[in-house]
């Protein structure tokens, strides 16, 4: 089975620009979550998508938005980038049968975003 | 959500048993305790989950006392490849909590294994 893949692996953007990060979920998984991890910190929940709809959101402003596609892949979009948005962005997928369980999440290796 | 407290860092020698303790004084009745491991430039990876007493798998053991206000992750005979950040998470992942299943990470424990 394939794991979670994220693209690109690294990205440099200028303050004020917009960025799109992509995630392909693990085969058989239908739920995707996004996390932001600043240097030296634990991952922070951004939002989760299930059946192409947002299903839970963390404490992030509306300029952080997402999409889930029929094939369960997902995008994270960030508008009006700020310097503090520099972080590792992680995608995690899970399946309906494992949802609601702390162990059912498979994380990708992340996209390292640097805002200058 | 129950807040967790872990040591910021720990060092251990290869071959030793390592115990990382996590405090979660405000744990709720429906909360489970889960541990994740994260290597540099990788996403977290599930290690073990438990509700009470002791849980063991091929990687680690998890000890939870009767009051559940703390838990201890035990890694037997560590090797250099166990150098990573270990996160203790507490959350309600029961079916009744549908739609509120985010993982809440703290800053974790940075474990360094010394040759």
């Amino acid at each position: 089975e394939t794991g979670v893949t994220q693209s690109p692996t690294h990205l440099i953007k200028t303050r004020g620009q917009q960025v799109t990060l992509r995630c392909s979920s693990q085969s058989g998984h239908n739920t995707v979550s996004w996390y932001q991890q600043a240097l030296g910190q634990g991952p922070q929940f951004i939002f989760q998508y299930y059946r192409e709809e947002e299903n839970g959101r963390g404490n992030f402003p509306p300029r952080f938005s997402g999409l889930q596609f029929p094939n369960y892949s997902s995008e994270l979009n960030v508008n009006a980038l700020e310097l503090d948005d520099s972080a590792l962005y992680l995608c995690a997928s899970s399946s309906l049968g494992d949802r609601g369980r702390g162990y059912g999440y498979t994380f990708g290796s992340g996209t390292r975003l640097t805002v200058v | 959500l129950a807040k967790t407290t872990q040591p910021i860092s720990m060092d251990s020698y290869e071959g030793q048993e390592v115990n990382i303790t996590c405090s979660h004084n405000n744990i709720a009745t429906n909360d489970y305790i889960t541990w994740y491991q994260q290597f540099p430039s990788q996403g977290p990876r599930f290690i073990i989950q438990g509700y009470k007493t002791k849980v063991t798998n091929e990687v680690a053991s998890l000890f939870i006392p009767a009051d559940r206000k703390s838990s201890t992750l035990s890694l037997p005979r560590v090797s250099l490849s166990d150098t990573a950040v270990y996160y203790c998470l507490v959350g309600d992942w029961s079916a009744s909590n549908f739609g509120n299943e985010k993982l809440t990470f703290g800053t974790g424990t940075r474990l360094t294994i010394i040759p």
Side-chain angles (χ1 to χ4, degrees), chain B residues 23-35:
Chain B
S23 297
H24 26 80
N25 291 318
N26 297 322
I27 190 168
T29 302
N30 288 339
D31 286 345
Y32 282 71
I33 300 150
T34 308
W35 286 79

Side-chain angles (χ1 to χ4, degrees), chain B residues 50-64:
Chain B
Y51 183 80
K52 61 181 179 181
T53 63
K54 176 183 174 182
V55 179
T56 297
N57 61 23
E58 65 278 5
V59 177
S61 295
L62 179 59
F63 298 92
I64 305 168

